Amino acid sequence: MIVGYSLSPGGLLLPYHLGVLSSLQSRGFLDDSTPLAGSSAGAIAVASLSSGVPLEQTLEATIRVSDRCSELGGARGRLLPLLREEMDDLMAVNAHELVNEREGLIGLAHRELFPLNRPVLATKFDTRECLMDAVMDSSTFPFFSTNWPCRLVVRRGERIPRIVVDGFFSVPRERYGCPDFAHAKASNLISAGTAVQRTTNLAQEGGEATLELTDDPIDFASAADLVSKCGKVIPERVVTVSVFPHKTVGLTASELHDSISPLPEEDSMEQMSNLFRLATQPSSREELTELFEKGLADGERWAVEEEQRTFGLTAAERREKFGTALLNIN
């Protein structure tokens, strides 16, 4: 079974996501064929990893952003321009090509408010600028990462600007901003014999192909059509990765075995207060490094439990077993 990972928003808690991804890589659960999606901090982590930026460099960039915010008097309203500077320095000139050529689907979520009010999962990028714009769109949290309530974006070839906000607003509350592959649905493939658009349309919009998110679950019988159209591996199972404890924030969209996050502490109010402080205010190198190590530990815990559930099979063995099972059907 192909497992994908959906990463939550989190502000300056980004190092937690980096630690989780590092752990999944080292345990063999994450490679070039693994589908990944993210919102806000999750989108930064996904875009960095898939474009070839080492996780350790992204951690150092987060520390630099935090230090710079501290010098300027706080993080509020300063994160987007500092994020752009770091991406410009770290991403290779062919970063978009590395993302596009990746076997597994990469999705960066945001919500478009105008001209259409709709959630969007950007999956293809014509230029390096398009990729960085998609990360910025996903990270536009009103009056926090920017001093404005939204972000105006002018796509190439379009006259009317689009108004977008953070990926947190692209999914229902029970997902707490984690993009949902199981609700990915594009609109140009029409089921045979019906006039209802059922599964996939990769609509070109100013250099970005998008998967529109709907409230209807994807029909996996026709999910192969999506693979054939966009050449990407999509997941049959999704694990949500949250910088906040799933239970505490009400992230109920995934089962316990499909969840990676900090364990709830006995004093949940104090835990959340500390996490929100780290998410919204500049922190020291020691605190941000500790967040990375916490993500490593939580990712490791999930990986160990997952190996026990799958009788110790590696990621490659699991995919091979799943393929064999499909061939034996009927």
Side-chain angles (χ1 to χ4, degrees):
M1 177 176 289
I2 299 172
V3 180
Y5 299 90
S6 179
L7 280 63
S8 76
L12 289 168
L13 290 171
L14 169 61
Y16 181 87
H17 279 323
L18 303 178
V20 171
L21 294 179
S22 179
S23 179
L24 294 176
Q25 274 189 322
S26 66
R27 300 289 300 200
F29 286 90
L30 197 166
D31 57 28
D32 189 63
S33 66
T34 305
L36 296 170
S39 293
S40 202
I44 298 170
V46 167
S48 298
L49 176 70
S50 60
S51 64
V53 179
L55 295 172
E56 295 77 11
Q57 288 190 21
T58 307
L59 173 60
E60 287 298 318
T62 307
I63 294 172
R64 286 194 297 271
V65 168
S66 180
D67 288 345
R68 185 62 178 146
C69 287
S70 182
E71 294 171 1
L72 295 173
R76 182 183 176 278
R78 298 184 172 95
L79 291 178
L80 275 191
L82 292 174
L83 169 62
R84 186 73 177 215
E85 289 179 13
E86 291 294 341
M87 286 194 296
D88 206 26
D89 287 341
L90 292 177
M91 286 186 171
V93 293
N94 66 335
H96 60 294
E97 296 174 352
L98 295 174
V99 175
N100 293 338
E101 293 168 2
R102 194 175 181 278
E103 184 181 350
L105 184 71
I106 292 296
L108 308 180
H110 69 266
R111 185 166 197 93
E112 179 181 299
L113 301 178
F114 179 84
L116 297 174
N117 183 5
R118 59 173 184 151
V120 175
L121 193 66
T123 61
K124 193 169 188 283
F125 314 94
D126 274 4
T127 67
R128 179 173 177 264
E129 289 294 314
C130 285
L131 174 60
M132 292 193 290
D133 278 342
V135 176
M136 299 277 283
D137 293 346
S138 187
S139 304
T140 302
F141 202 90
F143 302 113
F144 172 60
S145 58
T146 172
N147 285 321
W148 300 94
C150 58
R151 173 173 150 83
L152 294 179
V153 182
V154 180
R155 308 291 191 202
R156 291 189 306 157
E158 296 183 349
R159 296 182 179 179
I160 301 176
R162 296 179 182 270
I163 300 176
V164 302
V165 291
D166 196 278
F168 177 85
F169 305 102
S170 67
V171 288
R173 172 64 183 79
E174 61 266 21
R175 295 203 63 83
Y176 206 78
C178 294
D180 191 351
F181 288 108
H183 292 93
K185 174 180 171 183
S187 45
N188 76 324
L189 284 185
I190 299 177
S191 297
T194 81
V196 180
Q197 298 178 347
R198 295 298 298 171
T199 345
T200 62
N201 176 33
L202 295 178
Q204 291 294 333
E205 296 188 358
E208 293 184 5
T210 63
L211 296 179
E212 294 185 5
L213 307 181
T214 74
D215 293 331
D216 301 322
I218 191 170
D219 176 6
F220 280 115
S222 55
D225 292 332
L226 176 57
V227 178
S228 67
K229 287 292 181 182
C230 69
K232 297 290 186 179
V233 172
I234 61 173
E236 292 98 352
R237 174 187 168 199
V238 178
V239 175
T240 55
V241 183
S242 173
V243 298
F244 302 108
H246 277 66
K247 183 177 181 180
T248 306
V249 297
L251 205 171
T252 59
S254 54
E255 300 293 335
L256 181 61
H257 62 275
D258 286 335
S259 306
I260 302 176
S261 68
L263 294 174
E265 297 178 0
E266 185 174 347
D267 190 340
S268 61
M269 184 174 295
E270 181 179 354
Q271 180 187 24
M272 288 300 292
S273 176
N274 185 51
L275 288 173
F276 274 116
R277 176 185 64 83
L278 293 171
T280 59
Q281 299 177 25
S283 304
S284 66
R285 170 180 289 272
E286 290 73 22
E287 287 177 308
L288 293 172
T289 302
E290 185 178 344
L291 277 172
F292 180 86
E293 293 171 349
K294 179 62 175 172
L296 274 174
D298 290 339
E300 178 76 9
R301 184 182 68 251
W302 178 87
V304 170
E305 294 173 353
E306 178 70 3
E307 287 172 347
Q308 293 172 347
R309 285 189 288 268
T310 56
F311 305 100
L313 294 176
T314 66
E317 289 170 334
R318 283 193 297 276
R319 285 193 291 273
E320 182 178 355
K321 183 178 180 180
F322 179 69
T324 301
L326 288 179
L327 291 175
N328 290 334
I329 293 177
N330 299 327

